[in-house]
């Protein structure tokens, strides 16, 4: 086995196709339903929100979808991204496990999100769209779409959850640097925002509310579309460049993962690294254990219902079958803003529900502890979200030590934490608390799930 710590592919090895797991799943995905009629939606229903090319990808059953040349040209700026063997972390843990991580923090926005922002902006421009409205929680998605908008000459309007807008002024500055407009949500620009503010003028917002605002803006204007940074099939599709590269890099390392770990907010970085390997397994290839990791305070996969639900608070989005805590569930405060969504990608939900992956949850303090242990060994400060994956990888490596077992563990380090240093300061000063979500509020949110005939 090679001694390297870093596995780099050539530019010519940049994937030419996105991989669509739908072609290999044992069961077809469940259809999305129209929020008004409850009937399966067709491409026409979505055309007001998304470009045609994106809608085709959303419902595609083709195994491989070609990546357009102009998208590959931009990917090439930071892709293929590196895969590292965490030798110093292995040593610190005194584990016989072989730990690998794929690092997506090398993108200009510092996370995996540009992998989908670039193609979504590209297809919009191709179809004559002038403006894209979107939402952002922690700011990673808004930053990525702002970047993509600058590349393709589009106006980007970002509704940023108010609590993050206040906590993360540099994320806002990042978006504005690329020419995007950033609005604190709830805002008085939309009926959805005004309704929330009338009820609660002090609302600090939520992703569900911000989505409602962005969707309303897209519906209101012909030249404006909407873009989502996670959850939907086409987003997970675009992220599969991560796993395809990782497969080639594991081959360079003359190794294969026994286990793949990803953190799950809406499921896109997880699907991105996992699906190419899972597809290989489903086609009769090597076995691999797959673990999704989420915050204990927003435990979508581990405590949610697997049911049809809305993607937003105002119920403007289609209904999809997914693990959900209910569209009105508001998790208590914690720092991994990217993991605060009430739902989960339908494809990730299906993979977990059908036993192809397991899920577990951690509280934030134990995740920051793992993140710092990783940083001190490997020199990269992870974003609070992938600290969940780091926690699980370290726990698994320690379990290997206790069992005297050498397994290959691969996890996705989907972003760096350079915009999240306040969270690290809070952790280091002992100011982070592991609050629990309220069981009563979760039960109430779940009791509000829509009843849908066809499921
Ligand atoms: C957005 C984000 C997440 C959560 O989204 P997924 O779709 O689950 O990947 C996790 N980590 C980082 C760094 C993010 O930017």
């Amino acid at each position: 086995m090679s001694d390297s710590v870093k596995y780099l592919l050539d530019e010519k090895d940049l994937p030419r196709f996105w991989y669509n797991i739908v072609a290999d799943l044992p069961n077809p995905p469940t259809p999305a339903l129209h929020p008004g009629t409850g009937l399966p939606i067709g491409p026409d229903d979505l055309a007001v929100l998304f470009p045609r090319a994106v809608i085709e990808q959303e419902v595609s059953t083709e195994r491989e979808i070609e990546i357009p040349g102009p998208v590959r040209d931009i990917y090439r700026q930071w892709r293929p991204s590196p895969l590292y063997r965490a030798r110093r972390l292995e040593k610190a843990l005194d584990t016989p496990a072989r730990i690998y991580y794929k690092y997506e923090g090398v993108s200009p926005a510092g996370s995996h999100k540009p992998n989908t922002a670039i193609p979504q902006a590209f297809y919009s421009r191709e179809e004559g769209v002038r403006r894209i409205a979107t939402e952002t929680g922690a700011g990673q998605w808004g930053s990525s779409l702002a970047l993509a908008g600058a590349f393709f000459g589009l106006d980007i309007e970002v509704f940023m959850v108010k609590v993050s807008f206040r906590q993360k002024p540099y994320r806002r500055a990042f978006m504005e640097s690329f020419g995007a407009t950033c609005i604190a949500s709830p805002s008085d620009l939309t009926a959805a925002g005004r309704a929330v503010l009338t009820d609660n003028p002090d609302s600090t917002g939520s992703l569900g509310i911000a989505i409602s605002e962005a969707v309303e803006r897209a519906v209101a204007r012909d030249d404006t579309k909407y873009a989502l940074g996670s959850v939907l099939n086409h987003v997970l599709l675009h992220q599969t460049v991560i796993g395809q590269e990782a497969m080639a890099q594991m081959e360079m390392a003359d190794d294969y993962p026994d286990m793949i770990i990803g953190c799950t907010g809406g499921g896109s970085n997880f699907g991105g690294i996992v699906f190419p390997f899972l597809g290989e397994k489903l086609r009769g290839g090597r076995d691999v254990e797959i673990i999704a990791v989420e915050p204990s305070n927003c435990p979508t996969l581990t405590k949610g219902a697997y049911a049809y639900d809305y993607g937003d608070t105002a119920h403007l989005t289609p209904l999809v079958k997914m693990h959900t805590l209910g569209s009105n569930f508001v998790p208590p405060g914690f720092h991994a803003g990217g993991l605060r969504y009430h739902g989960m990608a339908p494809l990730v939900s299906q993979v977990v529900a059908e036993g192809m992956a397991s899920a577990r949850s951690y509280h934030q303090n134990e995740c920051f502890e793992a993140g710092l242990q990783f940083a001190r060994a490997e020199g990269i400060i992870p974003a609070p979200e992938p600290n969940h994956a780091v926690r699980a990888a370290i726990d698994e490596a320690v379990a290997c030590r206790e069992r005297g077992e050498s397994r290959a563990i691969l996890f996705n380090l989907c972003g760096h934490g350079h915009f999240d240093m306040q969270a690290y300061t809070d952790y280091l000063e002992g100011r982070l608390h592991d609050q629990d979500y309220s069981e009563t509020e979760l039960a109430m949110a779940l009791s509000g799930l829509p009843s849908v005939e066809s499921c």
Side-chain angles (χ1 to χ4, degrees), residues 30-35 41 46 58 228 231-233 305-312 317-324 341-347 349 449-450 452 455:
T30 49
L33 307 179
H34 192 282
I41 45 167
L46 291 173
E58 187 61 24
L228 196 58
V231 179
L232 297 180
N233 300 354
Y306 183 42
Y308 270 98
D309 197 8
Y310 299 96
D312 70 325
T317 70
L319 291 149
V320 293
K321 190 170 181 189
M322 60 182 174
H323 286 86
T324 177
Y341 188 55
H342 70 271
M344 185 55 62
L347 286 175
S349 292
L449 285 178
V452 171
C455 61

Side-chain angles (χ1 to χ4, degrees), residues 110-113 140-141 229-231 235-236 263-270 338-339 344 383 385-386 414-416:
S111 75
H112 63 292
K113 296 243 168 54
Q140 304 255 27
W141 170 239
S230 186
V231 179
V235 179
L236 275 62
C263 68
T264 44
S268 73
N269 87 83
F270 172 87
L339 306 183
M344 185 55 62
E385 293 86 0
C414 55
H416 66 61

Side-chain angles (χ1 to χ4, degrees), residues 18-25 63 231-244 247 256 260 264 266-283 288 290 345-352 356-357:
W18 290 301
Y19 165 67
N20 185 4
I21 186 92
V22 172
D24 292 315
L25 284 176
R63 181 173 287 114
V231 179
L232 297 180
N233 300 354
H234 66 269
V235 179
L236 275 62
L237 175 81
H238 299 155
Q239 294 295 353
T240 58
V241 289
I242 303 173
Q244 291 183 66
M247 286 183 96
Y256 198 85
I260 308 177
T264 44
S268 73
N269 87 83
F270 172 87
I273 195 164
V274 160
F275 286 178
F277 288 95
L278 178 58
E280 176 104 339
K281 171 176 167 177
L282 292 171
R283 293 190 303 275
V288 56
I290 298 168
L347 286 175
V348 172
S349 292
Q350 183 177 345
V351 158
V352 170
M356 289 170 263

Side-chain angles (χ1 to χ4, degrees), residues 91-137:
K91 203 172 233 171
L93 298 171
D94 189 24
T95 176
R98 306 182 301 285
I99 307 174
Y100 297 88
Y101 58 98
K102 179 75 165 158
Y103 185 42
E104 290 294 310
V106 293
S107 86
S111 75
H112 63 292
K113 296 243 168 54
N115 296 333
T116 184
I118 300 297
Q120 291 197 55
F122 166 77
Y123 291 123
S124 289
R125 200 221 29 204
E126 287 295 282
E127 296 179 25
V129 172
R130 304 272 302 278
R131 190 168 73 159
I132 302 178
T134 196
E135 72 291 328
T136 197

